[in-house]
Amino acid sequence: MPEKQQTQQQKTKELKVFSTQVVTIDAIRNDRRKLTLLYMIKTLNSVSEKGLTHLITILNDEKGVNLGYTIVKLGNRIIVRELLEDIKALLYVGLIETDPKTKKLQLTSKGKEFLETIQTVDKKLSEILGTVEELKTKVVAIDEEVATATQIMQQIRKR
């Protein structure tokens, strides 16, 4: 009888191993897509992930600017998987941060210093940033929608 209890009490835990690519500042310096994303966040001052997703979609669909992201539309939902990976990489190296109150992405002081050291703002990037400036009001509207939804959810949780 004691042998049965011992075998029942022994539990195994599985160790899940996964690999991920290590991201460094030098890797970001050489990655045009992440650099463009950093400049876009700088132009917008602060932006939600949903706002960035919509911005990239508008740039691609309406303005013909392909930033190298794969955009998938499922009903009213837009998924840009590579964008989330790029955001995680920029957060990991400390170039951007998430504001705890608004949940918006913004450059850190390290990110601002990093962009000051980059002197490769070419004509194409300038055009993209000009278009981002044009679309800023659309992105702000999307961000306000996100902020309102967040406030409503917080009020519901308090009840």
Side-chain angles (χ1 to χ4, degrees), residues 98-119:
T98 305
D99 185 332
K101 275 189 174 180
T102 62
K103 306 292 187 221
K104 290 184 180 181
L105 302 168
Q106 58 193 19
L107 289 180
T108 60
S109 56
K110 183 179 177 181
K112 291 173 186 173
E113 290 171 12
F114 174 74
L115 287 181
E116 287 173 6
T117 64
I118 306 278
Q119 299 298 326

Side-chain angles (χ1 to χ4, degrees), residues 30-59:
N30 298 323
D31 188 334
R32 178 136 178 99
R33 192 170 71 188
K34 288 181 182 71
L35 279 176
T36 303
L37 187 61
L38 267 177
Y39 277 109
M40 288 169 56
I41 293 170
K42 179 183 178 184
T43 301
L44 296 168
N45 294 328
S46 66
V47 63
S48 68
E49 286 181 20
K50 184 175 182 179
L52 268 179
T53 301
H54 278 69
L55 175 62
I56 288 169
T57 304
I58 293 168
L59 284 171

Side-chain angles (χ1 to χ4, degrees), residues 141-157:
I142 292 166
D143 280 348
E144 287 304 315
E145 177 186 320
V146 170
T148 304
T150 303
Q151 288 173 350
I152 291 170
M153 291 304 293
Q154 287 174 350
Q155 289 175 352
I156 291 171
R157 288 183 188 139

Side-chain angles (χ1 to χ4, degrees), residues 122-135:
D122 57 7
K123 185 179 176 186
K124 186 176 179 181
L125 181 60
S126 296
E127 289 174 7
I128 292 170
L129 295 178
T131 307
V132 168
E133 191 66 45
E134 278 177 38
L135 298 171

Side-chain angles (χ1 to χ4, degrees), residues 3-40:
E3 287 178 26
K4 261 190 180 178
Q5 288 177 347
Q6 283 181 344
T7 57
Q8 287 177 351
Q9 290 177 355
Q10 289 179 342
K11 293 183 181 179
T12 60
K13 292 186 179 183
E14 291 183 33
L15 178 64
K16 292 185 180 183
V17 178
F18 62 93
S19 63
T20 185
Q21 187 175 358
V22 176
V23 180
T24 63
I25 297 251
D26 288 332
I28 290 172
R29 188 181 312 272
N30 298 323
D31 188 334
R32 178 136 178 99
R33 192 170 71 188
K34 288 181 182 71
L35 279 176
T36 303
L37 187 61
L38 267 177
Y39 277 109
M40 288 169 56

